[in-house]
Amino acid sequence: MQRISKHLRIGWRWLTGGWRLFLRNPWLLGGMGLTTAVLVGVLTLIPLLGGLLVALLAPIWLASAYLAIDSVRKMPMALPASLRLPALKQSPWQLVGVFHNHAHVLPMAVTCLFSAAAVLLTNLPLQALAGNAWVADWSSLDRTSQAGVLVAMLLVFTLYAVVAATLIYALPLAFLRDEPLIPALQHSLRASRHFAVALLVLLGLLLAPFLLGALVSRFSGWAGYLVSLIISSVIFPVTAASLYCSYRDIFDARESREYQMKPEMRRATDRRATSADAVTQ
């Protein structure tokens, strides 16, 4: 319980840090969040392919958000009033900012294909376990079919969590520090596993737009969609900024410890463990 409480406090610290980062330039980051929410809403309306397209494009959006947030962090002060409107106009184009560096094109393409393939393979157990029961009315299903749907939902959620854990820190490691992609994926998974409880605080925030939108949609479908859109324009960038804070907290702390080691100790440590293992100890 003490460990869980500690990690909950860590997650809350990351969240408050992300909120402060968002307030440094809410016009740029909020505009990126709004554009992302609109794109996700439109893509999910496409039958069969909508979710796959979101999985394909999500790494681009998140990596570009990390780059934008990194620039915001380096600003000496909050954005002046004269630059707010230009920042808002620029925000949609920042969602593909990762491609401004040509060296990022190939690893980004590999990351997108990995994300889409992982989601595609994750949906296979859903079809195998639940079949047509997944899209049927819950009240019309017998207990066996309901149990199958619940098992499929749990399995899919677990697999999605593994995919997210693999990418959360791989993106900043690969596109902010130019580390090799495959080791970055491994480091991300290990760090995410160690800080799983703290990360749940951040990722749980992403449920807010959908829950509130669903609640309001019981009274008005359009109002529910509008509420979900407005909330997402803040929740998405705040979550990304909080993940960025967690990345700096974890990996900058690791680098600081490694830098302070004597050379012979550092070489011995490198032989015993990978860099990510040093994070999780």
Side-chain angles (χ1 to χ4, degrees):
M1 288 299 296
Q2 185 177 2
R3 178 182 173 85
I4 293 176
S5 176
K6 175 185 176 181
H7 279 243
L8 288 174
R9 290 195 299 271
I10 292 173
W12 178 253
R13 186 180 75 230
W14 291 342
L15 185 59
T16 55
W19 175 251
R20 288 194 296 269
L21 269 177
F22 173 76
L23 292 180
R24 291 180 68 89
N25 194 342
W27 295 271
L28 175 64
L29 301 181
M32 294 176 68
L34 179 61
T35 306
T36 301
V38 171
L39 290 173
V40 170
V42 171
L43 290 176
T44 52
L45 295 176
I46 302 175
L48 300 178
L49 294 178
L52 191 61
L53 290 174
V54 171
L56 183 69
L57 298 175
I60 298 175
W61 299 336
L62 184 56
S64 299
Y66 281 140
L67 290 170
I69 293 164
D70 190 58
S71 299
V72 169
R73 181 188 66 85
K74 295 175 181 177
M75 292 170 52
M77 63 183 69
L79 192 70
S82 60
L83 298 179
R84 292 173 183 175
L85 185 59
L88 185 61
K89 292 180 178 179
Q90 185 187 13
S91 59
W93 304 108
Q94 288 297 314
L95 284 178
V96 292
V98 68
F99 293 122
H100 294 168
N101 186 339
H102 296 296
H104 291 164
V105 174
L106 182 58
M108 191 74 258
V110 173
T111 305
C112 291
L113 291 176
F114 165 78
S115 176
V119 168
L120 185 62
L121 293 175
T122 298
N123 288 332
L124 294 180
L126 176 64
Q127 295 296 325
L129 291 174
N132 294 330
W134 176 259
V135 295
D137 183 11
W138 179 265
S139 60
S140 66
L141 301 176
D142 56 41
R143 291 187 177 181
T144 303
S145 298
Q146 290 179 351
V149 171
L150 288 175
V151 171
M153 290 173 61
L154 180 60
L155 181 58
V156 168
F157 174 80
T158 302
L159 293 175
Y160 278 169
V162 172
V163 175
T166 306
L167 293 174
I168 282 175
Y169 298 122
L171 294 175
L173 287 173
F175 301 109
L176 288 178
R177 300 195 182 190
D178 295 322
E179 294 191 9
L181 181 60
I182 301 303
L185 293 170
Q186 297 171 341
H187 297 170
S188 178
L189 183 60
R190 289 169 178 167
S192 298
R193 181 184 62 190
H194 182 72
F195 291 97
V197 175
L199 287 172
L200 284 177
V201 176
L202 309 184
L203 299 180
L205 190 65
L206 293 174
L207 297 176
F210 304 104
L211 294 177
L212 292 176
L215 181 63
V216 176
S217 64
R218 298 180 62 181
F219 305 97
S220 172
W222 283 105
Y225 179 78
L226 185 61
V227 167
S228 179
L229 195 65
I230 293 173
I231 295 176
S232 296
S233 66
V234 176
I235 295 297
F236 286 177
V238 169
T239 302
S242 301
L243 291 173
Y244 173 85
C245 289
S246 72
Y247 147 75
R248 285 184 51 82
D249 195 11
I250 295 171
F251 289 93
D252 282 0
R254 180 202 72 190
E255 285 195 348
S256 177
R257 289 195 299 270
E258 291 178 346
Y259 179 78
Q260 292 172 7
M261 287 183 182
K262 294 180 179 179
E264 60 274 15
M265 293 178 61
R266 186 160 59 245
R267 286 193 295 269
T269 300
D270 290 341
R271 287 195 297 268
R272 292 195 304 268
T274 64
S275 299
D277 291 330
V279 176
T280 59
Q281 289 174 351

